[in-house]
Amino acid sequence: MESGGGVMGREAAVLVGGPADGVRVKVAGRPWVLQVSLPCQAEASRDGVRVEAVYVYRRDPRVKDEPLRYGFDVASP
């Protein structure tokens, strides 16, 4: 890990932009990408099938201290 980190190797991070704007999380190992999913309502559900919208947040490498910053990647699928 690049810095001392928080409790048990986890660091505070904040998501910026997109549907999870302002959400604060704890991450371990400074991952480059976080994925956020939101459930979608399906007209007819079959045998536990779920539909979710997926959003990608990428870590800002310029931020060295907590909270780490993850920005919404509008170009990701």
Side-chain angles (χ1 to χ4, degrees):
M1 200 174 295
E2 297 173 33
S3 72
V7 177
M8 298 176 65
R10 296 193 179 272
E11 295 178 273
V14 63
L15 305 181
V16 179
D21 186 46
V23 171
R24 295 173 97 51
V25 297
K26 292 282 189 176
V27 296
R30 294 191 172 196
W32 282 105
V33 175
L34 296 179
Q35 176 178 303
V36 172
S37 62
L38 297 173
C40 296
Q41 185 173 1
E43 289 183 19
S45 182
R46 296 186 338 210
D47 298 324
V49 172
R50 297 183 336 208
V51 178
E52 295 185 346
V54 176
Y55 303 93
V56 173
Y57 288 78
R58 297 189 185 279
R59 182 165 56 87
D60 183 341
R62 299 169 296 182
V63 177
K64 304 295 183 194
D65 297 317
E66 293 183 80
L68 301 174
R69 179 184 165 113
Y70 286 80
F72 176 60
D73 185 344
V74 70
S76 293

